[in-house]
């Protein structure tokens, strides 16, 4: 990451509104334009060629049509207007949350299976047994694979997607065993990676 990205990230950790007040965007304009153009071009192609698919883009297109048919007061802050930037933003979040997380978890899973032959053999046996039982690998058969679930869970423990989580306190709370008290609106940083590797929480992971 560049120093600009680090500064932007640090500002966002300090305050949600600080980057906006200073006119600092979360991502470079080139990345922003890429996703806006990607969404716009895809929607235009589907509209021009009467293409409908059962996916996230189609859901956004349907919502936009409903939005266009409604009378919305632009001065009312409670009304969300589905413009091109908002649709692109949702697509970007869907891409990050759905694609990168899955790809990263599968990559580390494959690595661990490659260096732990005994675990790989045990998992392979479960997959073969499940396939013989169901005749296919699908949603129901995958849910039935307990060892697979444990392999994925342990991968996520060793290599968490998010090293830390930032949350906002919604009600006052006294921290047990400490003088400090969390007030409504306080930002809380949860150190996921250290917790996952701390023997206090996982003595025998």
């Amino acid at each position: 990451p560049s120093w600009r990205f680090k500064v932007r990230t640090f500002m966002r950790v300090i305050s949600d509104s600080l980057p906006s007040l200073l006119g600092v965007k979360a991502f470079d304009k080139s990345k922003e334009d890429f996703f806006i153009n990607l969404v716009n071009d895809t929607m235009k192609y589907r509209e021009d060629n009467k293409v409908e698919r059962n996916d996230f883009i189609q859901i956004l297109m349907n919502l936009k049509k409903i939005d266009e048919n409604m009378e919305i007061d632009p001065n009312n802050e409670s009304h969300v207007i589905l413009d091109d930037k908002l649709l692109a933003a949702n697509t970007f979040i869907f891409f990050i949350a759905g694609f990168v997380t899955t790809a990263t978890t599968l990559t580390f899973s494959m690595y661990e299976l490659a260096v732990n032959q005994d675990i790989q053999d045990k998992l392979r046996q479960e997959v073969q047994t499940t396939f013989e039982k169901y005749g296919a690998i699908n949603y129901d058969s995958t849910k039935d694979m307990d060892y697979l679930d444990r392999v994925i869970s342990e991968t996520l423990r060793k290599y968490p997607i998010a090293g830390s989580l930032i949350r906002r306190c919604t009600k006052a709370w006294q921290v047990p065993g400490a003088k400090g008290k969390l007030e409504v609106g306080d930002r809380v940083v949860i150190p996921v990676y250290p917790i996952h590797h701390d023997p206090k929480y996982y003595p025998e992971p």
Side-chain angles (χ1 to χ4, degrees):
S2 65
W3 65 269
R4 284 191 179 88
F5 180 82
K6 290 176 182 177
V7 170
R8 286 196 297 260
T9 303
F10 182 68
M11 289 170 63
R12 200 166 293 280
V13 169
I14 294 171
S15 169
D16 286 335
S17 56
L18 184 59
S20 298
L21 288 171
L22 297 176
V24 177
K25 293 187 176 183
F27 294 94
D28 297 331
K29 190 176 185 303
S30 61
K31 295 180 179 68
E32 183 180 302
D33 290 343
F34 170 79
F35 271 94
I36 290 174
N37 292 334
L38 176 70
V39 174
N40 288 345
D41 292 347
T42 303
M43 288 185 172
K44 187 177 185 308
Y45 175 83
R46 292 190 185 186
E47 287 171 355
D48 293 345
N49 296 277
K50 303 292 186 293
V51 175
E52 283 198 20
R53 290 180 179 169
N54 186 25
D55 60 13
F56 186 72
I57 292 287
Q58 193 63 49
I59 292 171
L60 292 178
M61 289 178 67
N62 295 341
L63 287 172
K64 189 178 181 183
K65 284 180 182 177
I66 295 171
D67 199 52
E68 289 171 349
N69 294 330
M70 292 174 64
E71 291 186 7
I72 294 176
D73 180 6
N75 298 317
N76 190 333
E77 292 183 358
S78 65
H79 289 162
V80 178
I81 300 173
L82 291 174
D83 58 13
D84 293 340
K85 283 194 174 182
L86 186 60
L87 293 173
N90 277 276
T91 305
F92 179 71
I93 291 170
F94 185 80
F95 175 79
I96 293 295
F99 176 76
V100 177
T101 51
T102 304
T104 304
T105 302
L106 289 176
T107 300
F108 281 121
S109 296
M110 293 298 165
Y111 166 74
E112 286 292 340
L113 291 172
V115 297
N116 293 281
Q117 187 66 48
D118 56 330
I119 295 174
Q120 182 188 142
D121 293 339
K122 189 173 179 180
L123 178 59
R124 188 166 182 267
Q125 182 59 51
E126 182 185 62
V127 172
Q128 289 177 324
T129 303
T130 305
F131 183 80
E132 290 171 5
K133 178 182 176 182
Y134 287 88
I137 299 296
N138 51 38
Y139 181 76
D140 292 324
S141 63
T142 303
K143 279 205 309 181
D144 201 29
M145 294 188 215
D146 176 65
Y147 194 67
L148 173 64
D149 182 58
R150 284 187 278 166
V151 167
I152 296 295
S153 295
E154 175 64 355
T155 300
L156 288 168
R157 185 197 69 81
K158 290 186 73 175
Y159 312 99
I161 299 300
S164 62
L165 299 173
I166 300 174
R167 296 292 181 263
R168 191 177 298 284
C169 185
T170 56
K171 65 178 181 179
W173 187 68
Q174 177 64 50
V175 181
K179 293 181 181 179
K181 183 180 181 181
L182 289 173
E183 301 292 348
V184 175
D186 286 351
R187 292 165 72 83
V188 181
V189 179
I190 305 164
V192 177
Y193 188 90
I195 289 174
H196 280 196
H197 290 77
D198 193 333
K200 176 183 174 182
Y201 299 100
Y202 293 93
E204 295 182 35

